[in-house]
Amino acid sequence: MSRGWESQDEKSYWIPDCDIEGKIPLDIHGSLIRNGPGINEVYGKKLKHPIDGDGMVCKLTLYDGKVHFHSKFVSSFHRKAEAKENTFIFPGQMGTRIHSIAADTLNAFKAVFYGSKPNLKFRNPSNTNSLYWGGKILTLYETSLPHCLDPYNLETLGLENLNNSLTLNCAGAHFRIDPISMNLIMFGLRVNLENAASLEIYEFDKQWTLINKLNYKIPGLNYAHDFLLFPDYFLFHMTPFTDVSKWTAFQILIGWSSPGESMHWYPDKPSMFVVIPRKGKSENIMFFKTDPCHIFHFATAEQNGDKLHFSSVCLSETMNMSFAQGLWLSNADVSPGQVYNFTIDLSKNECKRELIYNKSAEFPITHPYRHGESGSKFVYLMASDGEENLPFKDVVKLDIKSLKKTVWNSDGIIGEPVFIPRHGYESNKKGSEDDGYIIVQLYHPDTHKTDFCIIDAQHVDDGPLARIKLKHHVPYGFHGTFTPEVFFYEPKLVFTKSKL
């Protein structure tokens, strides 16, 4: 099963009709743009963790029942530099070292002895998420600037600072679309040893015009992978699983640890939600304590007056970022993610949480154009709905209000489910919240091949309406998005009238 992380070559081709099992609904028109590590070793250097692998963007184009598959590596600075030298040069933030711990430590001390700084330039794999917006594909990795890709051929055009808007030189891995304005909301977070994180929140229209930009200094907010968007508020989780201290920085600097390896529960750190008014000032930021947990991913969100209702996947105090069984990004085999409902009462300064799904789950997704809407209740999960915590084999649709669940028990190992709204960009106004489809990547360990499966979101337990069966595997991915737009060049026959 761990072979699903193996390296893969770039590919581009039309899927033959005979390799599509079932029927692709004709009202699906658009592109799945999905990101994740495309390699598990670099010039013979085995990567310690998948998060250190270079990003490979996969674009699955669906149009009139036809399917085109295209995958291409993000051509980052470090990837080009290593190709030139034909060797591994840049360490990974998850613990992939250039040499051994002892050798890296010795080199760090040598550098200090001779009056120079230790060489600690981490790779930017740009592998965590991808989105299409305003003519660009962006690939996201939260500690660095995104890369910009051509949506037609996936060529990397370079690093992207969005007209100098990203002044922290980074962009968070997740984003939201405001269901009223249909503007894109992004954020950037940069930490320092003074424990006072700089947070920027950006709002862009469909032409990448910066509509609004907010700046904050929030002590203790040392990590943020995701956030929630309400009509009147932003919400972040202040995790007790990161420690930004001189001691931690020293261990990383001399090679004893890495940012990923240092991620575990610190009992002296607070676990709380940071609620930021969208139109307020820094002094109006509110903090709400909650039980110790780590949150990578939020799910549903709705605001009812002074009450914020939301759900998320929470990881317990035993979580760390070890590569569990060569299958998953954290130790989900012993510390699985579980789904909780939260209610924050702003008027009473209260925060309550309730466990609503006690099986192993991750990568929750919701309707992309209805985030924060009143009445929102459906979340789709990559889950293990049986007795074992790993691997993730099931797609679970969970109603976070009635707690009803429907499950598709797959015949392989699944990735993140992605929601396809039936009415495209108009789906914030048309149809019900679950009016659409789920597309999910499915890996078969026995054949080492990948399918992409399309499921009716209203009838998840019926299984796939169609399977797009590839002749090869696609490495397990991280996150992706679906855009109701199609990008491909039509092939042209070039000929001459002259005779030979």
Side-chain angles (χ1 to χ4, degrees), residues 29-50:
H29 176 278
S31 306
L32 171 68
I33 302 169
R34 201 232 64 187
N35 202 355
I39 56 172
N40 62 352
E41 67 174 61
V42 179
Y43 299 106
K45 177 72 174 182
K46 187 75 172 178
L47 299 179
K48 183 176 182 179
H49 198 284

Side-chain angles (χ1 to χ4, degrees), residues 5 36-42 45-56 73 76 78-79 82 88 90-98 122-128 141 143 258-261 321 323 329 478:
W5 292 109
I39 56 172
N40 62 352
E41 67 174 61
V42 179
K45 177 72 174 182
K46 187 75 172 178
L47 299 179
K48 183 176 182 179
H49 198 284
I51 293 177
D52 288 340
D54 295 347
M56 173 183 271
F73 281 102
S76 62
H78 80 262
R79 182 172 175 82
E82 289 175 336
F88 179 79
F90 300 94
Q93 295 200 41
M94 300 305 297
T96 306
R97 295 170 170 81
I98 298 176
F122 291 113
R123 59 204 304 112
N124 171 12
S126 208
N127 64 9
T128 310
Y141 186 75
T143 62
S258 67
E261 290 169 313
M321 294 300 291
F323 187 23
L329 311 175
F478 296 156

Side-chain angles (χ1 to χ4, degrees), residues 367-418:
H367 193 303
Y369 309 139
R370 297 199 172 201
H371 190 76
E373 254 190 2
S374 180
S376 298
K377 63 181 181 178
F378 292 123
V379 57
Y380 306 87
L381 300 156
M382 177 182 74
S384 179
D385 196 57
E387 297 302 317
E388 300 293 327
N389 291 331
L390 287 175
F392 296 113
K393 297 180 116 180
D394 309 310
V395 175
V396 174
K397 177 185 181 183
L398 180 65
D399 183 328
I400 59 99
K401 295 187 175 182
S402 70
L403 304 189
K404 178 185 176 181
K405 70 174 182 179
T406 52
V407 183
W408 174 50
N409 302 114
S410 82
D411 53 346
I413 300 174
I414 66 164
E416 178 191 55
V418 174

Side-chain angles (χ1 to χ4, degrees), residues 25-168:
L26 295 180
D27 56 356
I28 296 181
H29 176 278
S31 306
L32 171 68
I33 302 169
R34 201 232 64 187
N35 202 355
I39 56 172
N40 62 352
E41 67 174 61
V42 179
Y43 299 106
K45 177 72 174 182
K46 187 75 172 178
L47 299 179
K48 183 176 182 179
H49 198 284
I51 293 177
D52 288 340
D54 295 347
M56 173 183 271
V57 174
C58 297
K59 183 179 68 169
L60 197 71
T61 302
L62 298 107
Y63 179 79
D64 196 24
K66 306 295 183 183
V67 185
H68 185 270
F69 178 82
H70 190 183
S71 62
K72 200 168 188 65
F73 281 102
V74 180
S75 184
S76 62
F77 166 80
H78 80 262
R79 182 172 175 82
K80 290 185 287 189
E82 289 175 336
K84 184 177 180 180
E85 300 295 329
N86 200 37
T87 189
F88 179 79
I89 300 173
F90 300 94
Q93 295 200 41
M94 300 305 297
T96 306
R97 295 170 170 81
I98 298 176
H99 306 292
S100 65
I101 293 178
D104 286 349
T105 301
L106 179 61
N107 289 335
F109 278 121
K110 281 182 178 179
V112 173
F113 179 80
Y114 288 108
S116 61
K117 292 182 179 180
N119 181 19
L120 194 65
K121 187 173 182 180
F122 291 113
R123 59 204 304 112
N124 171 12
S126 208
N127 64 9
T128 310
N129 206 347
S130 54
L131 76 149
Y132 169 80
W133 192 261
K136 302 176 181 181
I137 291 176
L138 297 188
T139 58
L140 303 170
Y141 186 75
E142 55 211 15
T143 62
S144 306
L145 283 172
H147 286 83
C148 179
L149 275 59
D150 183 315
Y152 290 90
N153 58 22
L154 299 184
E155 290 289 341
T156 302
L157 305 178
L159 290 171
E160 178 64 71
N161 64 13
L162 300 175
N163 297 317
N164 297 315
S165 299
L166 307 182
T167 49
L168 295 178

